[in-house]
């Protein structure tokens, strides 16, 4: 299944329930920007978001994304080739960075939900963008350090 096919499947499931993008994001407890990327076929969801989306839709994760595709995504995240070769040091570092990026994304989603309960959506969005800039700056620094070693 391609990213575009996943996005179409997700869209069809969402619309069959009479939901829009915001409603799906709310039900799945995922930032609407991520939901938009999934619906547009830009990226596959990480495993946490896949489970959240499936739960919100009353489906099993493998009903949204076939198990074989989930395994391929997990192998790519871990840097494992199809031949089962051990990942290189660079692949291990990339996988560790990807894991941390996913953890940060989940924390951002949680923060966004909390902020929306406390401040206006406009202020929550502005705070979220500022946090994103800080995190990206930090990741850029780590990538620079990694590339120079």
């Amino acid at each position: 299944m391609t990213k575009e096919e996943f996005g179409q499947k997700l869209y069809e499931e969402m619309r069959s329930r009479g939901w829009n993008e915001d409603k799906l994001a709310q039900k799945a407890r995922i930032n609407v920007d991520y939901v938009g990327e999934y619906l547009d076929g830009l990226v596959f969801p990480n495993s946490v978001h896949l489970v959240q989306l499936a739960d919100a839709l009353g489906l099993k994760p493998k009903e949204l994304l076939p198990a074989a595709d989930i395994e391929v995504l997990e192998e790519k995240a871990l840097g494992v080739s199809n031949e089962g070769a051990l990942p290189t040091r660079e692949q291990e570092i990339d996988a560790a960075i990807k894991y941390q990026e996913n953890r940060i994304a989940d924390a951002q989603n949680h923060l966004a939900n909390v902020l929306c309960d406390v401040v206006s959506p406009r202020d929550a969005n502005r705070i979220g963008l500022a946090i994103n800039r800080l995190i990206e700056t930090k990741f850029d620094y780590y990538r620079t350090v990694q590339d120079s070693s």
Side-chain angles (χ1 to χ4, degrees), residues 7-43:
Q8 184 62 36
K9 169 94 172 146
L10 185 62
Y11 178 81
E12 290 167 3
E13 292 291 341
M14 175 187 76
R15 297 304 295 166
S16 72
R17 287 157 181 77
W19 297 353
N20 61 19
E21 195 173 314
D22 291 327
K23 182 74 168 186
L24 177 59
Q26 178 188 18
K27 292 278 189 181
R29 299 178 322 281
I30 297 175
N31 186 297
V32 71
D33 294 333
Y34 289 111
V35 172
E37 289 179 357
Y38 305 146
L39 290 168
D40 291 341
L42 300 176
V43 294

Side-chain angles (χ1 to χ4, degrees), residues 7-143:
Q8 184 62 36
K9 169 94 172 146
L10 185 62
Y11 178 81
E12 290 167 3
E13 292 291 341
M14 175 187 76
R15 297 304 295 166
S16 72
R17 287 157 181 77
W19 297 353
N20 61 19
E21 195 173 314
D22 291 327
K23 182 74 168 186
L24 177 59
Q26 178 188 18
K27 292 278 189 181
R29 299 178 322 281
I30 297 175
N31 186 297
V32 71
D33 294 333
Y34 289 111
V35 172
E37 289 179 357
Y38 305 146
L39 290 168
D40 291 341
L42 300 176
V43 294
F44 281 113
N46 62 36
S47 57
V48 173
H49 285 184
L50 179 62
V51 170
Q52 288 174 277
L53 289 165
D55 284 347
L57 294 165
L59 302 171
K60 294 180 181 175
K62 67 182 176 184
E63 291 176 283
L64 274 180
L65 188 64
D69 292 330
I70 293 172
E71 289 174 15
V72 169
L73 289 177
E74 289 172 350
E75 286 176 359
K76 284 182 182 176
L78 294 173
V80 177
S81 71
N82 291 338
E83 294 80 31
L86 293 175
T88 64
R89 178 74 178 135
E90 183 177 304
Q91 289 171 322
E92 288 176 349
I93 292 170
D94 288 345
I97 289 171
K98 183 68 174 169
Y99 173 76
Q100 291 301 328
E101 287 173 338
N102 288 337
R103 289 187 60 213
I104 289 169
D106 292 337
Q108 287 172 313
N109 288 335
H110 177 73
L111 178 61
N113 289 333
V114 169
L115 284 173
C116 286
D117 291 340
V118 179
V119 298
S120 72
R122 180 173 178 259
D123 288 341
N125 187 43
R126 290 174 58 202
I127 293 168
L129 291 173
I131 291 169
N132 287 344
R133 282 193 294 271
L134 287 171
I135 291 168
E136 283 303 315
T137 301
K138 193 169 194 171
F139 270 114
D140 288 343
Y141 167 77
Y142 286 131
R143 286 186 186 109

